[in-house]
Amino acid sequence: MSVSMKMAMDALCVSEGVGSGVGSRVRSDSTSSTASQGSKGRLLLRQRLSQLLTCVEDLSSDDEANEELSRTLDEAFQLCGRPRDTFRLHMVTWNVATAEPPGDVTSLLQLDAQPATDLYVIGLQEVNAAPLRFLSDLLVEDSWSHLLMNTLASRGYIKGNKGGVSVRFSLYGHMICFVNCHLTAHMGYALQRVDEFEYILETQDFDLDNTPTVRDHEVVFWFGDLNFRIADHGMHFLRSSINSGRFNLLWERDQLLTMKKKEPFLQEFEEGPLKFKPTYKFNRNSDTYDTSGKKRKPAWTDRILWRIKPKSPPSEDDEEERASTSTQHSDDGQEEYPIKVLQDTYTCDPNYGVSDHKPVIGIFNLEMRKRCDSALVSVCPEGQWSADQDAVLSYTILEDFMSSTWDWVGLYKVGFKTASDYATFVWVKGELAEVNEVMQVCVNKDDVPLVAGEYVLGYYSYNMQSIVGFSHNFQIVESKRAVTEGMVPQDVNGLNK
């Protein structure tokens, strides 16, 4: 899995850990609320006002009625004055069964869908990991990453950290974690799959105090080839139910749904209804279920689950403090406005046949109030840039964070794919900058690209292992050397004579 983000001036997306592929496009405005979100907000407001009318009708000298009236008014005004933002999340899980990628993934990524996607999370299983392939992957991208990022990079998405288990990051101050896994196969190992699920959940740890474990994150998405099967039913009944579209007849024997009734930790996770064909096992390059000698039963092995962190029960001290005050307010308003996860789509894409699994797509709207909505660092090119003279850039720390003298600023051609795709980079100043202090750094002319192009500067945080601030896009002009050496036509930029 890998991390990608869309470049934006107010992008604040800090990634850490290992795991799935995430491609994100963080919006630079705060007007991304959808019409459906607005209608839900208005509905909730009407409900609150209806409660208010009831309170007014019953109003007397009773203290309890007065308190209810005050609380309802407060909530109604907060709903009017403190809007939420909606972020579009597109998830894919696909067991690719060591196959090479298809020629096109446009359908899988739904690139032209509206509203536009803010964050892509792509988790693959069984990517070819033969020793020779592993060695080549150390030198170049694997073919799947190459295809997916070539498709997304042209639209402004970039990839960050990658690994094998999990990715977590802060999205506008909200800690979100994605766990991509591939559990034990075969019908008789449902209990072992549950044990593996719980083991990963309990043993995966991180090095931040506020989110040391997976469960500490505000939202967790758990997805991959979980390998749960449909028990008991015979092949004829399975295929008959699938062919007639009566998927509900199979739900009560789905092992994951069955285990959720028994295991409290699984009950913490939600999943949309399985209203699409089981995604395993198909003959390759066809829509026909397994006709080999093994004749594997169809199953929903590929799943996307999510968990919202429950509110912590109040301590005795909190109870005493609340009892001593007439109104209750959280420090940052997050109790009144918790993050919400609304699933818009949960389906598979039958158009891809390179594997014996079909890819599963989950599209979500994340509703939240931004706890912070600006970049940590402002970066800016100074003057005109060309390889004919040394260039200058400036940066300003906007928010106090774990900056380091190992931080650097990279020069990227627009359309780059990862933080390591820089054309050149310069270290930050030897001393740590104060908040709002403008710092300038020179770039040697020999390191500036000779040929014209559109570029962007990115400030890379060593401690956060992420780009935490971008400049605006700017143009590097043709250098005289590029013209004299015949790298460009003679009449570019008036340098032909």
Side-chain angles (χ1 to χ4, degrees), residues 2-8 21-25 119-120 149 152-161 412-421 456 466-467 470:
S2 53
V3 178
S4 312
M5 67 188 77
K6 179 76 170 183
M7 295 179 296
V22 182
S24 68
R25 187 175 68 91
L119 186 71
Y120 277 97
M149 285 315 305
L152 291 172
S154 62
R155 296 178 178 241
Y157 297 89
I158 64 170
K159 182 180 73 172
N161 303 348
Y412 298 92
K413 188 153 190 168
V414 170
F416 72 103
K417 294 188 290 184
T418 76
S420 60
D421 280 352
V456 65
S466 176
I467 297 176
F470 285 106

Side-chain angles (χ1 to χ4, degrees), residues 473-490:
N473 293 0
F474 67 100
Q475 192 75 17
I476 292 181
V477 301
E478 303 288 0
S479 63
K480 293 178 181 178
R481 179 180 163 190
V483 176
T484 58
E485 293 185 5
M487 302 174 67
V488 294
Q490 291 293 306

